[in-house]
Amino acid sequence: MTFPAVRVRFAPSPTGYLHVGGARTALFNWLYARKHGGQFLLRIEDTDKARSTDESTRAIFDGLTWLGLGWDEDVVHQGANLERHGHDAQHLLDGGHAYRCFCTADELEQRRKHAAASKDAFKYDRRCDRLDPTEVARRVAAGAPFVIRFRVPEGITSWDDMVHESISFPNKDVEDFVILRSDGTPIYNMAVTSDDVAMRISHVMRGDDHISNTPKQILLYRALGAELPRFAHFPMIHGLDGKKLSKRHGATAVADYQHMGILPQAMNNFLALLGWSPGSDREVMTMEEMVWLFSQDGLLRKASVFDPKKLEWMNGQHISRLSGAELAPLAAATFVRFGLLAPDDPALPEPWFHRVLDFVKERCRTLDDLARLARPFLPHVKLEIDPALVESHLRKDPVLTRQLLLESADMLGGLDGWKPVVMEGALRALAERRGVAAGKVFQPMRVALTGSTVSPGIFDVLSQLGRDVSVTRLRDAAALLA
RNA sequence: GGCGGUAUCGUCUAGGGGACUAGGACACAGCCCUCUCAAGGCUGGAACACGGGUUCGAAUCCCGUUACCGCUACCA
C-alpha cells in the first residue's frame, strides 16, 4: 500500500504583517512536509480586495524567508482563481447542492438584530430555498441581485482531527452559508475548498479558530465529489494576560523579533514548543532536529501563552551554540544597524571577525548584545568611553586609579610573553603591592579597555586585544584622569 | 444566547490507571563559582479547576459544573 503524497499549505490573508501565530502555523506545516518528504505550499488568500495589500503580501514572504520556511511551488494567489471558484459554485447550484438567495444584506442584518433582541439564535431560515422555481426565474430575469447559498443536508458532520480526537457538528447547527456573493466572487469557505481541491492538498493544518469552518468545508468537498483531506487544528497563542495575542501585547510580528536581534532558528524553536512537545525534556533544538522529532502525537490541544522572556533565553542558547562563522551572516544586519560594519563588509567572512564573535557570544541573549559586546574588539572601530562611566568608575578615586592604570600599562608593556596566566599573576601581584583588592584594579581596566563594565574575563580581553592596543587604551584612560 | 473547543506550578510542558512524595525548562529567591556580566552548578517556593462516578487503585477513563477561548458576515 502506498501513502498518498503529503501536500500541505500555509494560507494567510495579506491584511497585515506575518504574526507569530501565523508563523507557528506555517512552521508546523513546513515541519510536517519536511518530515514526510512532502510539499509545503503557500497560498495568499486575497479575495477580500478591500483589506488585502501588496505590502502585507511582501511582509509574509519576507517573514517566511527570514524564518527559513521556504515554499515548494509557485505562490498561489487566491484572487487569480476567481473563475474556478465561480464555476465550482455554479456546479453546486446545477447539481442541486445550492440555491439562489435574494435576501439583501440589510434584510439579513435586520433579522439578526431582531433575533438578538429576543435572545434567539439566528440562523438563516431558508426562505429563498422555498421560492417557487418560476418566481426564481422571474427575479433572475428581472436582474434581481442574489447570492448563492449552500444547502446544508441533514445529518451530522464529523472528522478525526489530527490534534483533537473526533469532532462533530450536528448539521442542524450549520446554517445554509453563502458561497458566492452577489457580485459573483466567492466567500472564504468556497474559495478555500475549491483551491485546496485544485492544489491536491492532503492535510489541512491551521489554527483552531477554523474548527467551525471545517464542517462547512467538508460538506463542500462532498458536494463537489472531492476526496477529503486530513484536518489538524492547532491551538491559539495568547498574550501574557491569557487573551488572544494582539498589538496590546507589544511585539506580535515576526519582523519585530527579527529587529530585536532574535535568531530565526530560536524563533522557530520557541514557536515549535508552543503547542507541540517532542515528548521529552528536550528544549533547545536545531531545525534539523525539529524535523526529525516532529510528530503529530506531540501536538497539544491547549492554547499557550507567548512568553518573550523564554524566547530571549532560548535565543541566548542558540547564539552560544552557533560558531562565529555561522553567527556572522546572521548578525550582519545588526552590526550594520549599530554602525559597526558596512553592508557586505569584507570583515564578515574573516576568521578574525568570527573569533571576536566566538569570544563574546556566550554572554549574549540577542544579536544586539552581540554587537555591543563585540564592539571594543573590532580594530577599525574607535573606542569610546561613556562619560558617565568615566565618572562612576574612573574618577571615583582618580589619583589611585590613574596610578594603577599607568602601572599596569607599564607592567603589561614589559611583560615577558602575552599569556593570560602570566598577566594574571603580574596583575594580582600589582594589586597586592598597592594594597587594593584585585577587583579595584580589574574593573577600571575593563572600562579603559572596553568602554564597558561588562566583558569577558579581563585577561582574555587583554589577550584578545593584543599588547599594543591594550597598553594604548590603558594610557589613554589614565590621561583622562591627569 | 447558540454551537464548538480547552483545563497540571505565574509561563512553556512531561505524564496515557499503580513507577507521583507529580518530573524538566523559563521566570523568581538564595548559595556556589568569580575581576564585571553572562554561562554553569546546587538549593528553595510554586500546579493536577470543582463535584460526582467507574475502579482494589484516578493527574490519567466517564458525566456534570465552572472558567477561559474560538466561531456565530455577501471578512478571512
Side-chain angles (χ1 to χ4, degrees), chain A residues 99 108 112 121-126 149-153 170-179 189 212 215-216 219:
Chain A
Y99 58 91
L108 259 8
R112 254 189 288 272
F122 178 81
K123 191 181 139 196
Y124 182 63
D125 62 6
R126 294 184 151 166
R149 278 184 191 275
F150 184 77
R151 182 155 44 226
V152 174
N171 289 5
K172 66 173 174 52
D173 292 326
V174 182
E175 79 168 349
D176 285 357
F177 53 100
V178 175
I179 55 177
N189 285 305
S212 43
K216 297 177 183 175
L219 257 12

Side-chain angles (χ1 to χ4, degrees), chain A residues 5-8 39 41 73 194-203:
Chain A
V6 167
R7 282 171 70 83
V8 298
Q39 276 94 45
L41 311 182
E73 293 174 6
S194 179
D195 284 347
D196 283 339
V197 170
M199 291 166 76
R200 305 189 326 278
I201 297 302
S202 62
H203 297 71

Side-chain angles (χ1 to χ4, degrees), chain A residues 383-402:
Chain A
L383 182 77
E384 278 164 12
I385 306 179
D386 183 344
L389 281 187
V390 175
E391 249 0 273
S392 59
H393 283 76
L394 302 182
R395 246 192 266 285
K396 266 277 169 54
D397 192 347
V399 180
L400 174 65
T401 304
R402 178 166 180 275

